[in-house]
Amino acid sequence: MATTTASPANHAYRVCLIGSGGVGTIASLVLAKSGQAHVTAVLRSKFKHVSEHGWDIESIDHGTLQGWKPHRVVGSAAEAAVESTVEGDGSQKVEFDYVVVCTKQLPDRNPVVPMIAPVMTAGRTTVVLIQNGIGIEDEIVAAWPTNTVMSSVSHIGSGIEEPNKVVQVGKDVSKMGVHYGPSSVVAPCSSAPASGSGAEAEAEAEKTRKAKHAKAEAFVSMYNAGGAHICELVDDIEAARWEKLLWNGTFNTVCALTRTDVGEIQRSKGRETLLLPMMWEIWHIAEAADHALPDTIVQWMAYRLPDDCAYRASMLLDLENARPMELEVILGNPLKVAKRLGVATPVMDVVYKLLQVEAWKIEQLGSM
Amino acid sequence: MATTTASPANHAYRVCLIGSGGVGTIASLVLAKSGQAHVTAVLRSKFKHVSEHGWDIESIDHGTLQGWKPHRVVGSAAEAAVESTVEGDGSQKVEFDYVVVCTKQLPDRNPVVPMIAPVMTAGRTTVVLIQNGIGIEDEIVAAWPTNTVMSSVSHIGSGIEEPNKVVQVGKDVSKMGVHYGPSSVVAPCSSAPASGSGAEAEAEAEKTRKAKHAKAEAFVSMYNAGGAHICELVDDIEAARWEKLLWNGTFNTVCALTRTDVGEIQRSKGRETLLLPMMWEIWHIAEAADHALPDTIVQWMAYRLPDDCAYRASMLLDLENARPMELEVILGNPLKVAKRLGVATPVMDVVYKLLQVEAWKIEQLGSM
């Protein structure tokens, strides 16, 4: 019987990581450092350079590394899915335990399901989405209903400098958790058990829940073992996602639209006229979706940064550089939830429509 | 008795024109050409150059003129108000019949009342505002309650090229009319007659009304005599102002915010998601303010220009060049009316607040 290459016994988990930007490369480093995973990284634009030279990393969590590589670097998910046998006389499918997705969330341009399909094993592979937005797990759950789907809300600060340098300035702090049911974007359905009594079905559901929790626990344990600053396993990951949206759906979007940095939007009073009303809209959507956030969080989120903060939000950088923005998962999906649950979102509505015009302009440039 | 200089009998009306940009210079030309007015133009930045060289004009209505000057060119309103006597042995105050204001409407930076105060004679001088926006007459009415205040809604296309060239590409088509009472911005008050019976007061009011109408009629007649393409005297000039706001409050503001030309905002579907809802908000404010517009006007205004129209709205040009925008009279004042009359304006509200951030940025640049 053929065995897979480079899979020592202590690298118990086979992990495929897709999207090796600033966030993804540090995640691949953490997972490899844990000693618990064999990490295959799927790179696209950087494949050639990194497969030859590796990554040069300057990290607040991991120090300086020169020419670092995960266990395997490949140019596509299809390539990741197949390994040659040790004997070199053939190839075989790799069964991944975890597929970690760190790409930008662009459902129209770069949907996750076809991206990860080659590396997924139904009923086995756990998907870990380290991405922005709301409702991002729905299409994964729909495509692989028996697999575990987790997501991470990351506060890491990390970016890429050409051609192969990763600079991590903000510590790797994140929350992770399992998506047990349909998200707030999809109307929750009371899925009646296909057979058996209510008690039997409930026992079955509890078993499934425990199994999913165990997979998440193993991943988070591995992630902490790899030297991440802190990774917390939480029960309600959707609440954590709504909490992060208080920032991403407000500062990120309005700073992009008005071409302002954080300090400017604050000094202009745009925080009071626009951001706070939007934050409360998000707070009320989260509440209506049964992921209530603390009352105090809005004030804290709005006033935590100083008025001379020159931070330029990621969507502003995308807009300035005519790169696609994560608009649909950051405002589009939350607005679908709001509509379904009857929550008023007058400010978000208009900001969304204005940013759709900006997205259209970026699209035109891309298609020229 | 001293007589004023250069005031031949046929130049019956003394006119002072303030703000000689593309619109104002053509207005001064029209008034001078009528043969009915002696025109004093108040220039600021261009005073020195134009007083020496005059204007070079290329006009769709008036042909080509080299070195054209109105009767008198001065550097300030204070200067306009005083003329030397024919004998040259002294000076005397000029009593203007009309003061025509063609400056940008910037109530905070450049309010009209102090600007025109030196050339106003209480009870005599009629003010003609050839400017954008809503509620622009209020402060004039408050400062000179017995004077006639008119405004013009102009569709002229005319601009300045450095240093002294005026290029008029769009015909001088306008509506003018008298503001008889307080605008929609100020809550209308039922001004009880100070004395006398109701019938007497009514007769007095009718007499005042007729006198104001006569002054407007004379001005419009003079303006048409001067070769304007068409100038129409209308009873409800406020309705005409709301009608123009259907454009200025929507295309102008949203194109500025999204940095799009007219064709781009249309092709991006921003017309349907943003402009049409805003136009209906304006339509409903006008209706609530007793200046109902026809139902068909919104559709016409939204779809009159082709999808490849590369026109860049004036507010967009202001924003791109970091010049102050006419935001308060174009959105600020209409929103005050909406608030007073209880009209919902969710889209205008947010566009206004976003443009306030842009205005703040422009202010910062100016104060640097």
Side-chain angles (χ1 to χ4, degrees):
Chain A
M1 186 189 125
T3 57
T4 59
T5 58
S7 185
N10 63 334
H11 290 157
Y13 297 115
R14 297 298 302 239
V15 176
C16 180
L17 187 139
I18 302 185
S20 218
V23 176
T25 305
I26 296 300
S28 69
L29 173 62
V30 166
L31 292 167
K33 276 180 72 181
S34 75
Q36 300 174 24
H38 176 278
V39 180
T40 300
V42 179
L43 275 66
R44 279 168 300 185
S45 61
K46 298 209 169 289
F47 168 67
K48 193 167 177 299
H49 195 90
V50 170
S51 59
E52 281 173 26
H53 305 284
W55 292 104
D56 294 338
I57 298 174
E58 273 177 31
S59 161
I60 190 170
D61 288 331
H62 308 282
T64 301
L65 293 92
Q66 292 286 326
W68 178 84
K69 279 189 211 181
H71 301 94
R72 204 174 153 225
V73 177
V74 296
S76 71
E79 202 184 323
V82 179
E83 268 185 340
S84 52
T85 55
V86 173
E87 295 80 7
D89 57 357
S91 63
Q92 61 183 29
K93 171 115 170 58
V94 186
E95 307 253 307
F96 286 104
D97 298 296
Y98 294 97
V99 168
V100 182
V101 185
C102 303
T103 57
K104 217 163 153 180
Q105 251 297 351
L106 303 170
D108 299 327
R109 285 183 178 234
N110 199 20
V112 174
V113 167
M115 186 200 303
I116 65 174
V119 288
M120 288 295 291
T121 303
R124 169 171 182 164
T125 313
T126 293
V127 179
V128 186
L129 303 170
I130 309 186
Q131 296 180 299
N132 285 322
I134 292 291
I136 60 174
E137 69 281 10
D138 286 333
E139 58 174 14
I140 321 289
V141 171
W144 294 281
T146 61
N147 290 45
T148 302
V149 179
M150 303 168 55
S151 76
S152 160
V153 175
S154 172
H155 295 275
I156 195 173
S158 183
I160 296 274
E161 292 176 10
E162 293 302 325
N164 64 331
K165 185 163 185 179
V166 179
V167 180
Q168 185 203 343
V169 293
K171 291 186 177 182
D172 192 353
V173 174
S174 65
K175 291 181 180 177
M176 295 190 189
V178 175
H179 292 273
Y180 291 103
S183 84
S184 317
V185 179
V186 181
C189 48
S190 55
S191 50
S195 64
S197 73
E200 268 174 36
E202 213 170 282
E204 189 63 29
E206 185 53 27
K207 201 177 136 195
T208 303
R209 198 179 168 84
K210 277 189 174 159
K212 290 183 173 187
H213 184 80
K215 286 177 175 177
E217 213 165 30
F219 189 86
V220 168
S221 161
M222 171 164 60
Y223 206 82
N224 279 312
H229 186 71
I230 187 160
C231 176
E232 186 189 350
L233 180 62
V234 296
D235 286 333
D236 187 355
I237 189 64
E238 278 210 65
R241 301 197 75 79
W242 285 103
E243 185 182 317
K244 192 178 181 193
L245 197 74
L246 288 177
W247 171 273
N248 264 341
T250 61
F251 275 94
N252 204 21
T253 58
V254 172
C255 286
L257 203 46
T258 58
R259 280 82 165 163
T260 48
D261 64 30
V262 166
E264 286 169 336
I265 198 68
Q266 293 182 178
R267 299 200 301 279
S268 75
K269 308 291 173 215
R271 171 168 52 190
E272 286 71 26
T273 60
L274 292 155
L275 303 183
L276 277 168
M278 287 177 86
M279 284 185 184
W280 282 113
E281 290 176 8
I282 291 169
W283 191 92
H284 279 108
I285 309 172
E287 187 189 39
D290 287 331
H291 301 286
L293 305 174
D295 288 354
T296 50
I297 188 85
V298 165
Q299 198 70 9
W300 177 81
M301 194 66 92
Y303 290 89
R304 74 198 173 102
L305 292 176
D307 273 1
D308 61 355
C309 172
Y311 180 73
R312 300 180 80 75
S314 63
M315 196 177 278
L316 171 60
L317 297 179
D318 283 343
L319 188 146
E320 286 180 332
N321 293 288
R323 296 187 300 238
M325 302 178 291
E326 295 182 308
L327 182 58
E328 286 313 309
V329 296
I330 284 179
L331 284 184
N333 283 350
L335 285 170
K336 283 181 197 157
V337 183
K339 199 171 175 189
R340 186 172 66 75
L341 300 175
V343 180
T345 51
V347 188
M348 286 169 77
D349 277 340
V350 178
V351 170
Y352 175 59
K353 287 168 181 171
L354 287 162
L355 281 169
Q356 282 184 310
V357 175
E358 300 286 1
W360 177 87
K361 278 164 57 191
I362 291 169
E363 234 170 73
Q364 303 307 301
L365 288 170
S367 66
M368 260 161 52
Chain B
M1 185 190 124
T3 57
T4 59
T5 58
S7 184
N10 64 335
H11 290 158
Y13 297 115
R14 297 298 302 239
V15 176
C16 181
L17 188 139
I18 302 185
S20 219
V23 175
T25 305
I26 297 298
S28 68
L29 173 61
V30 167
L31 293 166
K33 275 180 72 180
S34 76
Q36 300 174 25
H38 176 278
V39 180
T40 299
V42 179
L43 275 65
R44 279 168 298 186
S45 61
K46 300 209 168 287
F47 168 67
K48 193 166 178 300
H49 195 91
V50 170
S51 60
E52 280 172 27
H53 304 283
W55 292 104
D56 295 338
I57 298 174
E58 271 176 33
S59 160
I60 190 170
D61 289 333
H62 308 282
T64 301
L65 292 92
Q66 292 285 327
W68 178 84
K69 279 188 210 179
H71 300 94
R72 205 175 151 223
V73 177
V74 296
S76 70
E79 202 184 323
V82 180
E83 268 184 341
S84 53
T85 56
V86 174
E87 295 81 7
D89 57 358
S91 63
Q92 61 184 28
K93 171 113 168 63
V94 186
E95 308 254 305
F96 286 104
D97 299 295
Y98 295 96
V99 168
V100 183
V101 185
C102 305
T103 56
K104 218 163 154 181
Q105 253 295 352
L106 302 170
D108 299 327
R109 284 186 177 231
N110 198 19
V112 174
V113 166
M115 186 200 305
I116 66 174
V119 289
M120 288 295 290
T121 303
R124 170 171 181 163
T125 312
T126 294
V127 179
V128 185
L129 304 169
I130 309 185
Q131 295 180 299
N132 285 323
I134 293 290
I136 62 174
E137 70 280 9
D138 288 332
E139 58 173 15
I140 321 289
V141 170
W144 294 281
T146 61
N147 290 43
T148 302
V149 179
M150 303 168 54
S151 76
S152 161
V153 175
S154 173
H155 296 275
I156 196 172
S158 183
I160 296 274
E161 293 175 10
E162 293 302 322
N164 64 331
K165 187 163 184 179
V166 179
V167 180
Q168 183 202 345
V169 292
K171 292 186 174 182
D172 191 352
V173 174
S174 65
K175 291 180 180 177
M176 294 190 187
V178 176
H179 292 273
Y180 291 104
S183 84
S184 318
V185 179
V186 183
C189 49
S190 55
S191 50
S195 63
S197 72
E200 267 173 39
E202 213 169 282
E204 190 62 32
E206 184 54 26
K207 200 176 134 193
T208 303
R209 196 178 170 86
K210 276 190 174 159
K212 289 184 174 187
H213 184 80
K215 285 177 177 178
E217 212 165 30
F219 189 85
V220 169
S221 162
M222 170 163 61
Y223 205 82
N224 279 311
H229 186 70
I230 187 160
C231 176
E232 187 189 349
L233 180 63
V234 297
D235 287 333
D236 187 355
I237 190 64
E238 278 210 65
R241 301 196 75 78
W242 285 104
E243 186 182 316
K244 194 178 179 192
L245 197 74
L246 288 177
W247 170 273
N248 264 341
T250 59
F251 274 94
N252 204 22
T253 57
V254 172
C255 285
L257 203 47
T258 58
R259 281 80 163 165
T260 49
D261 64 30
V262 166
E264 285 169 335
I265 197 69
Q266 294 182 177
R267 298 200 302 281
S268 75
K269 309 291 174 214
R271 170 167 53 189
E272 286 71 26
T273 60
L274 293 155
L275 303 184
L276 278 168
M278 287 178 87
M279 285 186 185
W280 282 113
E281 290 176 8
I282 291 170
W283 191 93
H284 280 108
I285 309 172
E287 186 189 39
D290 286 330
H291 301 288
L293 304 175
D295 288 354
T296 50
I297 189 83
V298 165
Q299 197 71 9
W300 178 81
M301 194 67 92
Y303 289 90
R304 74 200 172 101
L305 292 176
D307 273 2
D308 61 354
C309 173
Y311 180 73
R312 299 179 81 74
S314 62
M315 195 176 278
L316 171 61
L317 297 178
D318 284 343
L319 188 146
E320 286 179 333
N321 293 288
R323 296 186 301 238
M325 302 177 291
E326 294 182 308
L327 181 58
E328 286 313 309
V329 295
I330 285 179
L331 285 184
N333 283 349
L335 286 171
K336 283 181 197 157
V337 183
K339 197 170 177 190
R340 187 172 65 74
L341 301 174
V343 180
T345 51
V347 188
M348 287 169 75
D349 278 341
V350 177
V351 170
Y352 176 59
K353 287 167 181 171
L354 287 163
L355 281 169
Q356 282 184 311
V357 175
E358 299 285 1
W360 177 87
K361 278 164 56 190
I362 291 170
E363 234 170 73
Q364 303 308 299
L365 287 171
S367 65
M368 260 161 50

